Amino acid sequence: MSTPYPFTAVVGQDDLRLALLLNAVSPAVGGVLVRGEKGTAKSTAVRALSALLPEVEVVVGCRFSCAPGAPDPVCPDGPHETGPGSSRPARVVELPVGASEDRLVGALDIERALAEGVKAFEPGLLADANRGVLYVDEVNLLHDHLVDLLLDAAAMGSSYVEREGVSVRHAARFLLVGTMNPEEGELRPQLLDRFGLTVEVAASREPDLRVEVVRRRLAYDDDPAAFAARWADEEDALRARVVAARALLPEVRLGDAALRQIAATCAAFEVDGMRADIVMARTATALAAWAGRTVVLAEDVRQAALLALPHRRRRNPFDAPGLDEEKLDDTLEEFGGGDDTPEDDPDPDGPGGGGQPPQDGPEGPQDGPVDTAEAPARPEEPAQPEEGQGGRPAGSGEQSAVRAAEPFRTKMLSVPGLGEGAAGRRSRARTDHGRTTGSRRPRGALTKLHLAATVQAAAPHQRARGRSGRGLVVRRDDLRQATREGREGNLVLFVVDASGSMAARQRMSAVKGAVLSLLLDAYQRRDKVGLITFRGKDATVALPPTSSVDAAAVRLESLPTGGRTPLSAGLLKAHDVLRVERMRDPARRPLLVVVTDGRATGGPDPVALGTRAARLHAAEGTASVVVDCESGPVRLGLAGALAGELGGTAVTLDELRADSIAGLVRDVQGTSGAHRRVA
């Protein structure tokens, strides 16, 4: 067994260490979500936490870690008699991103259940994590159906496994810890709210701290055992402090003044529901116990707010995380009094110190990226004219970026046919979850039994198998897997015209608002997104395909305009990106969204070049839609002609709105057919 990296040897990351330690003191806090860039010791700190957790008393031989004094009455390994048990270290169980449903919740032997009536159950990771820690690395990349199972287990403290009326239930009370890189996509709001605390981490920009990180990591890699031995005293001291804080926790008093501050803070920041108030109360109590106090002070409430509220204030993926600390201080001051008299902290290292050597460095990460949508708009500048079809003069100047208009709910655009890509909410696909459409012989382990097809397959063989009683004689060859149809996520690749013909500020603001709306729709439907812009002489991949729609929104917000319209360059760049993505993930079908007025200028015969580039996409069957941005009383219909060459659909900005008088949902045409508008 490898020697884990010591928790006390982690350099900096005070908020991360404090959040994990508070959950060790009070598991009722509800876990922690660690957000930050790669290479910031997120996983290292979480895995090191297990060495600080007190040992767990379990029933001997129970696979579900029942407590000897109060065993689960419906434990699949039970019934257990109360009595002495055995001690073992607390577990940190890791859930891989690619885990199956059976690996998470466990598997039931359907063949034995049907033929013998025996509940032969193989426990999953939820059973292993009972009374321990469930760690989900890259939790934002977890499939939706696994997220739903996690939500249910975390809310009820138990896991249910059901297969055609045969069910097993077992306890699943665990501390949920997740790590994620926001650049790879955001979490569903329902899962965000299940994490008690959240922490933003970033690598220090202080050279001395970075040097110390490298020095310690190299020392650990050279000799893990010797490195761990050097930190053994600090680990023992921190472990003892966790035990002492746990013992003190029941004596901590949460006074009315502190409770009023908690309620006022949650109301001031307009968080949804009451879970935030409860988590803040538990966190503030744990902070007091960690500091060795029996009274919750205003400083505890403030720290609890900084840990428990930022992720609960996000309404959509474009909202910047974090809290306005000035507003927080004003709220605490307005509703303070009574219990918030400062006291001396008995621990000179302060909360989160844990006996670690003092380390100098900059303050922790800021509350979050600046929300560019809140920046004031620059003064109006004249649009650059351009010469193209229609006889308009050309202009090569660059315009500054403009703010996007308010996003709106868009119509759903889907890829035709039946796919087999990653689970999502856009296009029809064969999935593990959804409505049952048929049956087939299982490939590998049976997961979803089609009962009628199984009985039909077994019925003709009952006499030959010597059936004598009422039970059906079922063999493995009789079992049938249910085939199901649901929805998949797609790769939505945006190709945005940023040329001079789009440079009118009011018009570009509307275009950005439309793309922002489509990005929000892509977030809700679990799509990957990419962003290509074309202007001047070439096209640029502003954002390679990613699950982070908020990253696309940031790039879009700062997008300048001006210059000629190299339409063919934008379409060819999109063709290259899609070719690479097909090799990386052939099951994920693309949807090409071209946002343009259809004009093409620059170079010899730009219209013909654009037509040939569009036909490349049509020849490969790429589903496409052209968002027609042409405006004014005289319209040339160039975007519609482009949609025809792509073999796709044209839709105006007005028709894109879900509440327009045009139809509600239309499939995007794929390989053939003249262009059409959504109508």
Side-chain angles (χ1 to χ4, degrees):
M1 183 177 178
S2 60
T3 303
Y5 193 91
F7 187 89
T8 50
V10 175
V11 179
Q13 309 297 11
D14 293 340
D15 288 343
L16 168 59
R17 292 182 297 160
L18 177 60
L20 292 172
L21 289 169
L22 291 177
N23 277 277
V25 171
S26 176
V29 166
V32 58
L33 173 65
V34 187
R35 297 164 43 94
E37 59 196 27
K38 52 186 176 294
T40 49
K42 301 188 298 292
S43 300
T44 298
V46 174
R47 294 185 179 109
L49 179 67
S50 61
L52 304 178
L53 299 176
E55 290 192 337
V56 179
E57 290 285 331
V58 298
V59 173
V60 177
C62 178
R63 297 174 296 170
F64 302 88
S65 302
C66 284
D72 184 0
V74 294
C75 175
D77 284 353
H80 302 299
E81 296 182 0
T82 57
S86 61
S87 298
R88 63 160 176 80
R91 293 173 179 162
V92 174
V93 177
E94 296 192 31
L95 173 62
V97 171
S100 65
E101 178 181 341
D102 286 346
R103 184 70 185 98
L104 176 63
V105 301
L108 196 64
D109 191 328
I110 301 298
E111 185 177 2
R112 293 188 63 190
L114 287 177
E116 305 173 27
V118 176
K119 293 183 180 180
F121 182 67
E122 184 65 30
L125 295 176
L126 291 181
D128 293 341
N130 188 32
R131 303 178 66 203
V133 178
L134 181 62
Y135 170 45
V136 188
D137 193 14
E138 297 181 318
V139 63
N140 51 324
L141 304 183
L142 204 61
H143 285 180
D144 276 2
H145 70 281
L146 296 183
V147 171
D148 291 334
L149 292 171
L150 275 179
L151 290 175
D152 291 341
M156 298 185 296
S158 59
S159 174
Y160 289 84
V161 182
E162 299 216 9
R163 295 289 188 273
E164 301 297 334
V166 181
S167 62
V168 172
R169 190 207 72 87
H170 65 82
R173 300 185 182 278
F174 49 82
L175 176 64
L176 184 60
V177 180
T179 57
M180 60 174 282
N181 183 349
E183 293 179 357
E184 297 173 340
E186 287 293 343
L187 277 173
R188 290 168 55 188
Q190 295 95 325
L191 185 58
L192 270 176
D193 192 47
R194 293 295 184 185
F195 287 98
L197 310 179
T198 187
V199 176
E200 296 279 342
V201 297
S204 172
R205 300 299 184 257
E206 174 63 38
D208 290 342
L209 281 181
R210 297 176 74 95
V211 166
E212 186 62 23
V213 170
V214 175
R215 181 182 290 118
R216 293 186 187 182
R217 186 69 210 190
L218 293 178
Y220 172 77
D221 291 341
D222 288 341
D223 191 343
F227 183 81
R230 292 209 307 270
W231 291 89
D233 291 343
E234 285 82 355
E235 291 281 291
D236 290 341
L238 191 57
R239 189 180 301 109
R241 185 175 175 187
V242 170
V243 173
R246 277 195 172 190
L248 183 62
L249 187 65
E251 303 176 22
V252 176
R253 182 173 64 88
L254 181 64
D256 289 343
L259 195 55
R260 185 172 178 79
Q261 284 182 318
I262 290 171
T265 300
C266 292
F269 286 100
E270 299 180 346
V271 296
D272 294 333
M274 295 298 298
R275 183 175 281 117
D277 304 64
I278 296 171
V279 170
M280 271 191 66
R282 291 170 174 167
T283 304
T285 303
L287 280 162
W290 180 244
R293 288 185 267 100
T294 57
V295 175
V296 173
L297 305 181
E299 64 195 59
D300 300 322
V301 176
R302 185 181 192 279
Q303 183 66 57
L306 293 175
L307 292 172
L309 296 188
H311 60 302
R312 292 186 166 90
R313 296 192 62 244
R314 302 194 74 180
R315 296 296 187 269
N316 64 62
F318 310 135
D319 292 338
L323 291 181
D324 182 344
E325 294 196 32
E326 183 176 349
K327 179 179 179 180
L328 173 61
D329 291 335
D330 291 343
T331 302
L332 293 176
E333 183 177 355
E334 179 182 355
F335 292 90
D339 297 329
D340 58 352
T341 304
E343 296 180 5
D344 292 333
D345 188 348
D347 180 13
D349 291 327
Q356 294 194 142
Q359 298 166 348
D360 298 325
E363 296 178 359
Q366 299 301 312
D367 290 336
V370 176
D371 187 354
T372 55
E374 296 299 324
R378 292 185 173 93
E380 288 290 325
E381 299 178 16
Q384 292 290 339
E386 177 179 12
E387 182 176 9
Q389 300 149 352
R392 301 193 312 175
S396 59
E398 178 177 312
Q399 302 294 309
S400 58
V402 298
R403 293 177 56 187
E406 190 69 21
F408 52 84
R409 190 167 64 90
T410 66
K411 291 188 177 75
M412 189 181 79
L413 303 170
S414 60
V415 178
L418 193 63
E420 295 183 348
R425 298 179 182 176
R426 183 173 297 278
S427 304
R428 293 174 54 227
R430 299 182 184 91
T431 60
D432 292 333
H433 297 267
R435 62 185 182 89
T436 301
T437 58
S439 65
R440 60 172 173 81
R441 291 181 181 271
R443 305 184 190 103
L446 179 71
T447 55
K448 299 292 182 182
L449 178 73
H450 195 295
L451 183 59
T454 298
V455 172
Q456 186 176 7
H461 308 290
Q462 296 306 296
R463 181 176 298 178
R465 293 173 183 174
R467 174 187 172 186
S468 58
R470 298 176 59 186
L472 192 67
V473 181
V474 180
R475 303 282 172 81
R476 173 161 290 277
D477 289 343
D478 303 326
L479 299 179
R480 295 293 183 268
Q481 175 86 21
T483 57
R484 301 194 173 191
E485 182 179 312
R487 293 280 174 176
E488 68 177 358
N490 298 109
L491 166 60
V492 182
L493 182 61
F494 293 92
V495 181
V496 180
D497 184 350
S499 66
S501 67
M502 306 281 287
R505 299 187 69 82
Q506 184 176 3
R507 183 179 178 191
M508 197 61 198
S509 176
V511 169
K512 285 187 175 183
V515 177
L516 203 63
S517 303
L518 289 167
L519 284 171
L520 182 58
D521 182 69
Y523 163 76
Q524 294 168 340
R525 301 192 188 283
R526 301 293 172 265
D527 295 318
K528 288 180 68 175
V529 297
L531 178 63
I532 293 173
T533 63
F534 60 93
R535 57 183 290 272
K537 296 181 179 180
D538 204 357
T540 303
V541 180
L543 183 71
T546 175
S547 297
S548 179
V549 296
D550 52 340
V554 171
R555 306 290 173 89
L556 178 73
E557 192 68 33
S558 60
L559 176 67
T561 58
R564 297 187 180 275
T565 312
L567 176 62
S568 61
L571 294 176
L572 290 175
K573 184 71 73 175
H575 184 268
D576 291 341
V577 170
L578 293 180
R579 177 177 54 82
V580 173
E581 288 301 311
R582 283 190 182 99
M583 292 187 290
R584 289 177 175 171
D585 188 359
R588 188 181 287 270
R589 298 186 294 164
L591 173 61
L592 182 67
V593 179
V594 185
V595 185
T596 181
D597 57 9
R599 289 179 170 84
T601 62
D605 203 355
V607 177
L609 289 175
T611 298
R612 287 200 292 270
R615 288 174 180 172
L616 281 177
H617 291 282
E620 294 187 353
T622 302
S624 59
V625 59
V626 177
V627 179
D628 185 358
C629 301
E630 194 173 26
S631 60
V634 179
R635 303 195 180 193
L636 303 178
L638 300 175
L642 174 62
E645 298 296 346
L646 286 167
T649 300
V651 56
T652 66
L653 290 175
D654 289 337
E655 292 169 339
L656 191 61
R657 293 178 177 271
D659 55 359
S660 70
I661 60 175
L664 292 179
V665 177
R666 292 284 185 176
D667 281 348
V668 179
Q669 287 184 327
T671 58
S672 63
H675 95 276
R676 58 181 170 82
R677 290 189 178 275
V678 174

